[in-house]
Amino acid sequence: MSYFPFFREIEGEKCLVIGGGKVAARKISRLKEFGVKIKVVAPSIVSDIEAMAQSCDNISVERRIFTPQDIENVDFVIAAAGEEVDKEAARLCKQKEIPVNVVDNQELCDFIFPSLVQKGDMVASFVTGGKSPHVAAKLRRDFEANVSDNIESILDYLSEVRTLAKEK
């Protein structure tokens, strides 16, 4: 069954990222653009995550092994630490009804990461139900190449026109 593209406001929400590798870095890179407060827990951290944490107040890093207490008071979790840790994190999240994304294990995911295009308030996503992230990325690139560079100005204008149209 395919995933429903459920868009929601996540600015200010608390996200726990378990794992400090390249995949975790890609997830963090996408999330930081949406104003999420991100805590990364991992024994080792790649330089990309280090750089993001140094340049963004909303990202903190704790170099240590994941513990069950880490999921307390978080809104959602990204598990990217390896099969054993990821399965345990997913189990704990499901017990507490915390949405979890387990990288490369769709069966354990409550949500998946789409291939995104974001230009200001315009956000488009592409998914293939986990069947081919490569195809989703290709669709994203094709779409992005055809979105006007001034889409934000266009959307602002259309918002004004829409308000006037609704009044009349």
Side-chain angles (χ1 to χ4, degrees):
M1 176 167 297
S2 61
Y3 282 81
F4 181 80
F6 193 87
F7 287 82
R8 64 173 247 197
E9 175 65 59
I10 60 173
E11 183 174 0
E13 288 198 358
K14 297 176 202 157
C15 172
L16 172 66
V17 176
I18 306 165
K22 291 179 182 183
V23 174
R26 284 197 309 272
K27 305 294 186 184
I28 293 165
S29 177
R30 293 308 301 165
L31 285 170
K32 74 183 180 78
E33 302 302 320
F34 291 88
V36 177
K37 296 176 183 173
I38 302 167
K39 179 170 106 175
V40 182
V41 173
S44 62
I45 307 292
V46 295
S47 60
D48 290 349
I49 294 174
E50 287 284 352
M52 286 186 278
Q54 289 175 3
S55 66
C56 183
D57 293 337
N58 283 350
I59 301 173
S60 64
V61 172
E62 295 184 20
R63 283 175 195 75
R64 60 179 175 75
I65 294 171
F66 164 75
T67 66
Q69 293 77 22
D70 289 323
I71 67 167
E72 298 297 325
N73 301 312
V74 299
D75 296 302
F76 62 100
V77 172
I78 309 298
E83 187 175 352
E84 190 174 309
V85 173
D86 292 351
K87 281 184 179 179
E88 177 63 7
R91 185 186 68 74
L92 293 167
C93 287
K94 290 187 188 316
Q95 281 181 349
K96 296 197 177 264
E97 299 181 350
I98 298 169
V100 62
N101 172 271
V102 179
V103 299
D104 294 331
N105 193 333
Q106 190 173 349
E107 293 173 6
L108 296 177
C109 291
D110 294 316
F111 66 96
I112 60 174
F113 266 75
S115 189
L116 288 176
V117 175
Q118 180 188 12
K119 293 190 177 190
D121 288 336
M122 192 283 309
V123 179
S125 67
F126 300 88
V127 296
T128 59
K131 293 178 181 172
S132 179
H134 177 74
V135 169
K138 168 79 168 99
L139 291 169
R140 175 191 48 82
R141 286 189 304 272
D142 291 350
F143 178 81
E144 192 168 31
N146 289 292
V147 174
S148 175
D149 288 338
N150 67 337
I151 189 68
E152 190 65 20
S153 298
I154 294 168
L155 291 175
D156 289 343
Y157 171 74
L158 291 173
S159 178
E160 290 174 22
V161 171
R162 180 175 188 226
T163 301
L164 290 172
K166 286 169 74 175
E167 288 174 3
K168 301 205 184 257

